[in-house]
Every structure is written in structure tokens, then in C-alpha cells.
Amino acid sequence: MSDHNDYSSNRFDEPAEAGTRRTRFSIIWLIPVIAVAIAGWLAWRSYIDRGPDITVTFDTASGLTAGQTQVKNKAVTLGTVQDIDLTPDMRRVIVHIRMNADASNILTDRTRFWVVRPRINGASITGLETLLSGAYIAIDPGESGGRYQTSFTGLETAPGVRSDQPGSTFMLVTPTLGSIGEGAPVFFRDMSVGEVLGHTMPPGGEGPILVQVFVKSPYDHYLRTDTRFWNVSGVQVGFGAGGLKVQLTSLQALFSGGVAFGLPERRRSVDAPRAPANSVFRLYASQSDADNARYHQRQKIATYLDNSVKGLAPGAQVAMYGIQVGSVTGVKLDINQKEASARVRVDMEIEPERVFDEQHLQDLSKYDGLLAGLVAHGMRASVESASFLTGESMIGLQFVKNAKPVLLTYEDGIPIVPSQPGGFDGIMASAATTMDKVAAMPLTQIGEHLNDLLAHTDKKIDSPEVKQSLTALRDSLRHMSTLTQHADEGMKPLMKRLPEMSAALQGTLQNAQTVLASYGGDTDFHRDLEGMVVQLGEAARSIRFLTDYLNRHPSALITGRHS
């Protein structure tokens, strides 16, 4: 019974509590905590560093690769291309770019994008670094103050001027563009100081072309209000006083054209103000045209020519004594229907500044009186050859000797300078005048007179007067020979013979002069006879001097002449 109770009591008794054991902290649990913290920090950092997504539209995606092509500015990466799509019309491409967060402040309507690839522009090569690294998209932030945007239209070529490049932009006006293209250099004293940004055609294609150029700092400070620009494209070949001239500014200007500027050689105002940005200048065709632009005063004159003006064109020189004093402005054929005649009118502009200094350039009205005086003294206009190789002609103002008096006339207030043939035409005109005079000579009558003269000469030679003169001359020579033979016979016989010989020689001389007077013409016989008369005169004078000397010095025949 007791055993049963014990058993019952043990069976229904509550079980004893188990002892509680504390859990210890393990360092391994820190690893996932740290991993979660790093992942959260990276996610937050990625969210913070993530910039805006933008789109740039280009004509082509050549050289661009999604996930690789970067957007750079000054070799610093500012974004990466994420995707490239085509526009709905399939004509252009849309490049999706994810920019860095620090580049969001430069995304304005003034920001410009373009693809940098290897390019050959004229004589310049750009983008060579992309041959190894691949093409990239360059960005120019532009000037500050723009409106924020995320959609852009990219440029196909690099802009000529960056927003951070100091300098000034100017405008040039020209009737013809020539070979000047975008990116062409701008020269100052043969140094490249800028480039051509582009050009704008006038509305309708008529009128001057506007060329935009950029000049770097500090060279833009050299531009004044009287600065002149001229075209230096290609090779300039010309013939001048020094012969053939070939001018080449640079190889780049040879292929892509170029523009140069310089200061006037003779400036009207030393303190010319500096030209502000966006000033407009005229672009001259050559440096010579730009140099001629410093002459502001013009005096219009004209002339009429009756001979050929081949090679004469507007722009040709007007020279006086080989010095340029103006230029030709027009060459026009003038036909008179009433008289059925034609001539050429040449309009010119005389530039007084080429001749006179500034003290004499106050009034142009006084040049009319000066021009009238020059015409009165024989000044005439004529066409002269400026170059035999090129056939170029010019107008020469020259003074003609013994010119007929001509008054200066006017047509519509323009002085008309008289003209005369010049150059080769003048030579031909003079030759024609000479031939006309020769043709007008009575050559037949002259030949008949020559025949009569020859016949009369034969008669004169056979005349008794000539024979008598020759006989007297022979006797005179015989007397002189006798004088020589009897020089030692004594003083008295010689003194007696000398007057006789002198008288005989005088008679011979008179007879010879008589024959000479009766014989005319310009023949060899006449010239020989005239020479013989001169010699007889000299012989007579010698005998007379000898007679006088022997009268004073009789002993000279024996002892000789004493000094």
C-alpha cells in the first residue's frame, strides 16, 4: 500500500525546472553588419555622385561606343555614353550620356558638344591622340548665366573659339570669299594670331559676304579703327620693277586660305582708338589694295583715246614719270552715231595724297587750276605697257615737247585730259607719219636732178678752168721744189723768188676757188677739190710767214731757226 502511494505521489509530482544558460556575443556577426553598412554607403554615394542623364544629337555615331566613349573637357572625364539610338526619321543619332554630378552646373543652353576624331583641315591635322584612345565627346561649358537643359544638338566640327580662350571676334566684309574657309589662319606680321570662324551669305545671294574671325589676346589689342585686312590665300605671283615676285605666307594658307591684317604705313591719326569687339572691317583682295586704301582723297579725270587700249582694265595704274599717282576706274567704248566714229573713254582717279603732304591737302578745288597748267605745258595721257610678259597696260601722263596749245575741257564737271598715242602704238604712229612723208617726197624728180648733176660734173671736170687750175697747181709745186733745191744758193735769189711764188700760189688759189664756186653738189670730187683749196690756202700762208721771217732773220737759211 505504501509502495502504491509512493508511486502515485512520484507520478503526479511536477518536474523540476531546467537551469537557464546565457548566450555569448560572437564577432562573426559583425561581418554581415559591416557588409550591409558598406553596401548602403556605396548606394548612397552612388546616388549622390550620379549626375543627370542628357541626350546629344549628332549626324553620325562614327567612333562612339556605348559604355566606353567618354565626355571630356581638358582631358578630365565628365561623363560616359550609356546608349546610342536613331531618331524616328532615321537621319540622325541620339547619344544618351550620364554625366557626373559635378558637371550638372555647366549644362546650359550655351554648352556645346562635338566629337573629337582625326581630321585633316587644309594643312592642319587635329585629333591625332584619338588614333590610340578612340574618339571622345568634347564639351565646352560656354559663358556663365545660361539656362539649364539636358537636350543638346552637337557640333560636327570643333568650334573655332572656346569660351575660356581670351580674345575678340571681328567681322570682315568682302564681295568674294575666294579660298577662305572655316579654320583658316589669321596672320599679323607673318604670325598666326587667330582663325576664321565662318562666313554668312547675304540674303538672296546678293551683296557682300560677312566673314567672322577671331583674334587671340593680346594680339586683338593691336587692332585699331584704321586697321586693314587683306586676303593671303594661295600663292601670289606678280611682275614688278624687280622682276618676278612670288609670295607665299604659309603652307596652311596655301591649302585653306588665310587673312592678314596690319597697321597703315602713314596714319592720319597717331592716337587711333582701339577697335572694339565685333567691329566691321573691309577685306581687301591683296596687300597692295589694302595699302592703297590709305588714300582717301580722289580727283576724277578722264581722257579719250583713238588707239588700242588692249590690256587696260579698271585698277590699272596712272603714272607720271613712272610714279603712280592714281588708278583707272573705267574703260568704255564711246561710239558717235552722228559722225560714225569711235573712241575709248578712260575714267581715272588721281590721288593727291600720293604726291602732296598733309599741309597741301586741304582743298581739292585748287587741283583744277594745277591740272589746267600741266595741260598747257604739254601734259598728255597715253596708253603704255606695264609688263611685256603679262600684256598689262597703264595710263602714262607725260609731257610732250613742242605740243600744240590745248585748253582743259570739262564734261559733267570732270576734266578731260588730251591724249596722244603712246607706247608701241605711238612708235607705230611715228613710223607711219615718217613713211607718209617719205611717200610724199618727189623721188622721181630727185633722181632726174641727180642725173643732170652727174652730167654737169663731167662737163666741169673737162672744162678749161679746171685744167688751168691743175696746171697752175703743178707750176706751184715745181716752184716749191726749186726753192728746196736752191735753198743753199744764197739769200737774194730766194727773196726774189718768194714773192713770185706767193703770187703764183695766190693765183692758183683764186682759180681753184673759182672752179669750186662754179661746181656744186655733194660728191667725192667736190670734197677732194675743196680740201685741195684749203691746203693751197695754208701753203700760201706758210710762204708768206716764211717771207716775213726771212726778211727779219736772213741768216736763218744757214744757221737755222733760233728758239
Side-chain angles (χ1 to χ4, degrees):
M1 194 81 187
S2 58
D3 293 337
H4 177 76
N5 292 335
D6 291 340
Y7 174 78
S8 300
S9 59
N10 293 335
R11 182 179 179 182
F12 292 101
D13 288 341
E14 294 181 1
E17 292 183 14
T20 304
R21 186 178 180 181
R22 291 183 178 179
T23 303
R24 296 181 179 180
F25 178 77
S26 178
I27 194 171
I28 298 177
W29 293 358
L30 294 177
I31 294 176
V33 173
I34 294 174
V36 172
I38 293 175
W41 180 85
L42 291 176
W44 177 82
R45 188 65 183 175
S46 176
Y47 177 78
I48 294 299
D49 292 341
R50 178 179 178 179
D53 292 333
I54 65 172
T55 58
V56 183
T57 304
F58 293 103
D59 288 344
T60 178
S62 175
L64 303 181
T65 304
Q68 296 183 4
T69 305
Q70 297 178 338
V71 179
K72 297 182 180 180
N73 183 28
K74 296 183 178 180
V76 178
T77 302
L78 298 179
T80 305
V81 175
Q82 300 296 317
D83 194 8
I84 302 176
D85 297 328
L86 287 172
T87 57
D89 58 1
M90 308 291 286
R91 294 185 177 181
R92 308 194 73 187
V93 296
I94 300 176
V95 181
H96 299 271
I97 304 174
R98 176 169 293 176
M99 301 295 294
N100 298 340
D102 53 359
S104 59
N105 58 341
I106 65 173
L107 300 176
T108 65
D109 55 352
R110 300 178 182 178
T111 304
R112 296 177 294 181
F113 294 86
W114 67 94
V115 180
V116 178
R117 306 184 185 94
R119 296 178 182 272
I120 300 178
N121 183 13
S124 63
I125 302 176
T126 59
L128 290 179
E129 69 276 7
T130 60
L131 292 176
L132 299 178
S133 62
Y136 65 90
I137 298 176
I139 179 175
D140 180 28
E143 299 179 358
S144 59
R147 179 176 52 85
Y148 178 81
Q149 69 179 29
T150 58
S151 180
F152 303 89
T153 301
L155 305 176
E156 294 306 314
T157 58
V161 182
R162 303 285 184 92
S163 59
D164 56 350
Q165 186 174 7
S168 301
T169 303
F170 302 95
M171 303 295 177
L172 307 180
V173 177
T174 176
T176 57
L177 192 61
S179 59
I180 299 176
E182 184 178 351
V186 177
F187 296 97
F188 176 71
R189 302 185 67 176
D190 296 336
M191 295 186 299
S192 180
V193 298
E195 64 179 270
V196 176
L197 302 181
H199 62 274
T200 303
M201 294 295 293
E206 298 181 356
I209 303 174
L210 191 64
V211 181
Q212 186 180 18
V213 298
F214 176 78
V215 181
K216 304 176 183 178
S217 180
Y219 303 104
D220 58 338
H221 298 167
Y222 301 149
L223 271 78
R224 304 289 176 176
T225 54
D226 55 356
T227 298
R228 296 186 299 272
F229 286 81
W230 62 88
N231 194 332
V232 293
S233 302
V235 181
Q236 299 179 1
V237 181
F239 294 91
L244 178 63
K245 295 182 180 180
V246 180
Q247 183 178 1
L248 174 62
T249 304
S250 68
L251 289 177
Q252 186 175 0
L254 176 63
F255 292 99
S256 62
V259 175
F261 69 91
L263 299 177
E265 296 180 0
R266 185 179 68 179
R267 300 169 62 180
R268 300 295 302 273
S269 177
V270 178
D271 299 327
R274 176 184 170 185
N278 296 321
S279 297
V280 179
F281 297 91
R282 179 181 177 183
L283 180 62
Y284 295 92
S286 63
Q287 185 176 3
S288 60
D289 294 341
D291 292 337
N292 295 336
R294 68 174 181 262
Y295 305 115
H296 303 285
Q297 297 189 18
R298 301 286 192 273
Q299 176 71 19
K300 293 184 178 181
I301 64 173
T303 187
Y304 287 97
L305 299 171
D306 297 330
N307 56 304
S308 175
V309 293
K310 183 179 181 180
L312 187 66
Q317 294 185 7
V318 177
M320 178 182 292
Y321 292 111
I323 300 177
Q324 184 177 0
V325 296
S327 58
V328 177
T329 59
V331 180
K332 181 181 179 182
L333 184 63
D334 183 36
I335 299 178
N336 191 334
Q337 298 181 358
K338 295 182 179 180
E339 299 180 0
S341 61
R343 57 181 180 175
V344 179
R345 177 188 173 97
V346 180
D347 293 297
M348 298 167 282
E349 284 186 348
I350 302 299
E351 299 162 342
E353 292 171 296
R354 293 181 179 271
V355 181
F356 301 100
D357 53 16
E358 296 184 1
Q359 297 179 355
H360 299 83
L361 295 174
Q362 302 299 327
D363 187 10
L364 283 176
S365 60
K366 61 183 180 181
Y367 297 120
D368 290 341
L370 176 60
L371 187 61
L374 294 175
V375 171
H377 284 80
M379 188 183 75
R380 302 292 185 266
S382 61
V383 179
E384 298 180 357
S385 177
S387 175
F388 289 102
L389 296 177
T390 61
E392 182 182 1
S393 300
M394 67 178 185
I395 294 295
L397 301 178
Q398 55 185 346
F399 291 88
V400 180
K401 295 182 179 180
N402 302 323
K404 297 181 180 180
V406 178
L407 295 177
L408 185 66
T409 59
Y410 294 85
E411 289 186 6
D412 298 331
I414 299 178
I416 304 299
V417 178
S419 64
Q420 75 163 13
F424 185 75
D425 291 334
I427 297 175
M428 295 301 297
S430 300
T433 303
T434 303
M435 294 303 296
D436 292 340
K437 293 181 179 179
V438 172
M441 295 175 61
L443 298 179
T444 303
Q445 299 179 2
I446 293 175
E448 294 176 353
H449 288 305
L450 287 176
N451 293 330
D452 295 340
L453 179 60
L454 292 175
H456 183 70
T457 301
D458 294 337
K459 294 180 180 180
K460 287 294 183 180
I461 292 175
D462 295 335
S463 63
E465 292 83 359
V466 175
K467 294 181 179 180
Q468 183 179 0
S469 298
L470 294 176
T471 302
L473 180 60
R474 185 171 57 252
D475 294 340
S476 298
L477 294 176
R478 187 182 297 111
H479 289 319
M480 293 182 66
S481 177
T482 303
L483 176 62
T484 303
Q485 295 176 359
H486 297 84
D488 56 349
E489 293 182 0
M491 182 67 178
K492 293 181 180 180
L494 180 60
M495 295 298 295
K496 292 180 180 179
R497 298 293 299 274
L498 284 176
E500 180 182 355
M501 293 175 60
S502 178
L505 189 58
Q506 289 290 342
T508 303
L509 180 60
Q510 293 177 359
N511 293 331
Q513 290 178 348
T514 301
V515 175
L516 182 62
S518 62
Y519 176 75
D522 187 11
T523 62
D524 294 339
F525 176 77
H526 180 272
R527 288 191 292 270
D528 294 340
L529 187 59
E530 185 178 2
M532 182 183 66
V533 172
V534 174
Q535 292 178 1
L536 289 175
E538 292 178 355
R541 285 195 299 272
S542 300
I543 293 175
R544 186 167 54 252
F545 291 153
L546 177 61
T547 303
D548 295 339
Y549 185 77
L550 291 178
N551 286 331
R552 293 192 300 270
H553 305 283
S555 61
L557 290 174
I558 300 175
T559 60
R561 182 177 179 179
H562 297 281
S563 58

